[in-house]
Amino acid sequence: MLPRKGWRCVPGRSAFRLQSEIQYTGKGPSRLTQLPRHLLNDIPEGNDVVDIIFALDRLSVQHCCEQYAVSDPNNDEAFIELKKVHCMLISFEPRRPHNTEVQATDENQEKFAKNFASLGGIEIMVRFLMAGTVFPKLAVGRQESKKALYTESARVLRIKSLVLEVLIKLNTGCVAEQALSKELFCDETMNYLFTLLAAKKTFVNACQLIEDILQHRKDVLDLHRITNLRGLVASLDDSQLANFCRILAVAISDLDIYENKSSLFAQNKQKRSKGFVNLRDINQELLLGIPDLLPRLVQIAINKEYTPRYRGMPSELDCWMEWIDNQMADEVYEPQAADDFDDFIGGVSEPTAEGHPMVAQQALTITEELVQRVEVVYVLGLFLLGKHRKKVQRKLAELKLASGLSDLFDQFIWKCQVRTQTRHRLRGHNSSCECSPEVALKIQFLRLVHSFCDHSDYKHLLLSKSELNEVKKINVRAGGLTLQNLDSINKQLMCRGSKGLLTKIVEVMKKEPTTSTFRLWFWLARAVESYLRGDTSYCDQIFLMRRGLLAHVAGNIVENEIRHKEILQSSFDLLGELIKFNIEAFKAFDSILTTEEKFEKFVNMVNRNLVDSNMFIRSLILSLEHFRAEGSEKTLNFVGSADGDKVEKRESKLVGYIGDFSRQLEYLYKLINIISVQNLTQENVSCLNTTLVFLMFANKRNQLPRYLQALRDEQDDALENVNGSSSILQNFRDLLIFWQDHYLHKDKDCSALEKSSKISFGYWKTTVSMLVSEDKSLPTSVSFYINPLPSDRTN
């Protein structure tokens, strides 16, 4: 390949001959240098993009040949030209709002990116990347006779790392999907990109590009198609393995296997379709078969040093601001460094200004470490969501995850306070915002705790040894809610010290106001709620009530105006688990709702947010029927008076409220009316199960026809058509048919419904079968109460 000036002087083909060849062969020029000479002459000499394209087109063929390597890396022509492209795609200007110069810089970057892509720059980048992979060299080691695959030189890896970064910046910043050439999606290229994960100079950028490719693919990557994945994982050091988790997160995520990310109906339809394969579970099984993977991920998640930390700082944000100030102060007086050729790491080694050397940026280094830990914790949580959940829970318990997370929790700073100094405020956030780079890690930490405890046999490992003894003493008087496995807990795997992780989370939750970062409060509540899920545990409920959790959560709803939907939902769900089947909890609730005003405010919050509060409503009706079955309902009528000296006989407010037939009917009607098959999601499908709980107990009392008739009578003209159905009952029947398709399939684990309700799943199925029966003569069938549409009537 000749430089552009040299190309102009070479006699070239005519445009007519080129057109004739295209007509005969069907193939036209694919590169700028293949155009006729007189067309190239029309391109202005000062066009930077064209000049760069010409230079890179020539160098893309030469760069992997060591004969072109120069002794001084500063004079490496390929790296110099690629660095020009890299600098054209990034801004060295400080980000400030309403800065016209920065906006102009962004426009120039976008213009360059589009011109670079349109003139074939992306194809040249792919050629750079894949050069030398068609016929890899073989070298014979001196100490062993067998042949080993030739590893690419440091120079080549450094160039390819910059190529990766250019492709990433083109894709994410300017050209979007155009930057991802079709060649990058094939198995051969993907396998090569995976090999770059094992090289220090390329692993950060290779991981980012693979993640971008997987995000753009319509199908989930089958990890079995990656050659020698076990060997790759074994060759990665801790930093590389942590970065590799970004790819694993896409490969084993649940939602990525479905075309529709929210609709349960669409997901069910896809699962039942011919040829559907759950690649998430297949990939998980492959990864879990790698012996050292989970142990290494656990060690990375809980054992890495946590930075930055300064004594006396009230919050993590203060620590980060202090660290930034110190770094900026040091860099001002440091001499200009040369390119870090030996220690170069793509994505971390960056120029500080246009035309300057590429050196390791301390800010990028520490940010990369923090992001890596977030990804590791996130992937551990994903392993707990698949069909191998029980196996993973056991393995993580044996690896002492609970005690490790408890120690890591102590390193977090959980302090929320209003900021008065602007230096502590992140741009775009208000003065009371507590966001810091560690918020994402806290959220993923709590999600991991949530998944580890969810219906787990190892949740009590979140306690300390002294706390376990307290729980055992409470368990002695638990009656029918006694736990049987407390003596079998391996104390060597439990949290160390006087307080376990569960208590620490509760203490933080009580201090954290609901006005702070709401997602953080949401996951604090979800972590505690998941601990209570499964078989209802009286001793765990009392243990948490003694630490003021019930009073705190209920008091928040009554006394504060909670606006965030997520906080309301997590608060009601947690309350439902705290009081379910527990007489002591109902009595404690009465002592919180001491006035009619408080009770009305609480009830209004329940009624205005039925999707969020339906699990609490379900807990009320389950508890009421449990008390009736045990004959303990009457004991709730004896509640101490406010002064504590007298004992008056009065009904529990919550029991009296949910026990009213007209109110149960009202909830049934509203819950059915706010959902339909078309709008069912993982979030609101619980409303359907709550309606079934009402009707299952009605069926046990032989009152099912009474409820169905009352539902029919409640219909009015305004609700005659629910999502196109002839009546609310028709909508309900459609929902029940969906329920059968969703819960009776072989891939669905329904033990959670059985454990949380103490109703056998067989009875769930029997009740639904009765309700959806097509025999319109049966008063227990919904069809019995549905009037035919006018168009259905016969003459």
Side-chain angles (χ1 to χ4, degrees), residues 697-733:
F697 287 124
N699 190 33
K700 282 186 177 181
R701 298 192 301 269
N702 296 318
Q703 292 184 345
L704 190 55
R706 180 190 177 195
Y707 278 75
L708 295 177
Q709 181 62 49
L711 279 175
R712 178 181 179 179
D713 295 341
E714 280 287 319
Q715 290 180 152
D716 53 36
D717 294 338
L719 298 175
E720 278 294 318
N721 281 299
V722 179
N723 297 295
S725 299
S726 60
S727 69
I728 190 173
L729 287 172
Q730 180 62 54
N731 180 58
F732 185 43
R733 190 173 188 277

Side-chain angles (χ1 to χ4, degrees), residues 425-556:
R425 187 185 305 173
L426 296 177
R427 187 172 292 109
H429 297 237
N430 60 41
S431 60
S432 62
C433 183
E434 286 295 317
C435 287
S436 82
E438 297 173 28
V439 169
L441 179 57
K442 286 181 177 179
I443 291 175
Q444 296 307 328
F445 175 98
L446 294 169
R447 289 186 67 171
L448 176 58
V449 175
H450 169 273
S451 300
F452 177 72
C453 292
D454 192 17
H455 295 89
S456 172
D457 297 328
Y458 306 96
K459 65 182 183 180
H460 287 99
L461 297 180
L462 266 64
L463 305 176
S464 67
K465 295 176 184 178
S466 59
E467 290 172 339
L468 179 62
N469 289 333
E470 179 185 349
V471 168
K472 286 182 177 180
K473 291 177 181 178
I474 302 171
N475 194 48
V476 172
R477 54 184 179 86
L481 300 176
T482 302
L483 293 183
Q484 304 298 326
N485 60 346
L486 292 179
D487 291 327
S488 62
I489 296 174
N490 187 344
K491 294 183 179 180
Q492 300 303 313
L493 306 177
M494 298 183 68
C495 297
R496 295 178 287 269
S498 60
K499 294 179 181 178
L501 179 56
L502 180 66
T503 298
K504 294 175 184 178
I505 292 175
V506 171
E507 289 180 348
V508 168
M509 185 178 168
K510 289 167 63 178
K511 295 176 183 177
E512 189 80 6
T514 55
T515 54
S516 66
T517 309
F518 72 89
R519 292 192 183 277
L520 208 53
W521 201 97
F522 169 80
W523 282 109
L524 285 165
R526 294 289 283 176
V528 180
E529 182 223 335
S530 70
Y531 177 87
L532 292 169
R533 282 187 190 173
D535 288 324
T536 301
S537 169
Y538 174 88
C539 55
D540 290 319
Q541 290 171 326
I542 298 298
F543 175 82
L544 290 169
M545 286 170 58
R546 286 180 176 179
R547 282 146 183 81
L549 186 61
L550 177 63
H552 176 73
V553 178
N556 260 345

Side-chain angles (χ1 to χ4, degrees), residues 621-772:
I621 191 66
L622 284 169
S623 300
L624 172 63
E625 297 298 333
H626 174 77
F627 297 150
R628 285 174 175 173
E630 285 197 338
S632 56
E633 181 188 4
K634 294 182 179 179
T635 62
L636 282 166
N637 293 335
F638 296 92
V639 183
S641 62
D643 56 17
D645 297 328
K646 300 178 181 179
V647 176
E648 62 175 358
K649 183 177 181 180
R650 70 181 168 87
E651 187 178 38
S652 168
K653 293 179 180 178
L654 287 176
V655 169
Y657 179 80
I658 200 63
D660 182 76
F661 172 76
S662 61
R663 191 161 287 114
Q664 291 185 14
L665 185 66
E666 180 183 355
Y667 279 132
L668 265 176
Y669 191 80
K670 289 181 177 178
L671 288 170
I672 296 171
N673 194 44
I674 60 178
I675 54 175
S676 67
V677 173
Q678 287 72 30
N679 69 14
L680 273 181
T681 64
Q682 198 64 49
E683 180 184 4
N684 62 22
V685 70
S686 58
C687 294
L688 177 56
N689 289 324
T690 298
T691 63
L692 282 174
V693 169
F694 280 100
L695 295 179
M696 281 190 291
F697 287 124
N699 190 33
K700 282 186 177 181
R701 298 192 301 269
N702 296 318
Q703 292 184 345
L704 190 55
R706 180 190 177 195
Y707 278 75
L708 295 177
Q709 181 62 49
L711 279 175
R712 178 181 179 179
D713 295 341
E714 280 287 319
Q715 290 180 152
D716 53 36
D717 294 338
L719 298 175
E720 278 294 318
N721 281 299
V722 179
N723 297 295
S725 299
S726 60
S727 69
I728 190 173
L729 287 172
Q730 180 62 54
N731 180 58
F732 185 43
R733 190 173 188 277
D734 293 340
L735 287 166
L736 294 173
I737 293 174
F738 165 84
W739 188 95
Q740 289 181 316
D741 182 60
H742 185 67
Y743 284 102
L744 303 185
H745 200 264
K746 62 181 180 180
D747 66 348
K748 190 71 176 178
D749 180 13
C750 300
S751 60
L753 278 179
E754 188 172 76
K755 289 181 178 179
S756 63
S757 65
K758 293 192 178 298
I759 301 173
S760 70
F761 190 69
Y763 195 71
W764 284 80
K765 293 191 294 184
T766 300
T767 304
V768 173
S769 296
M770 293 173 61
L771 290 167
V772 300

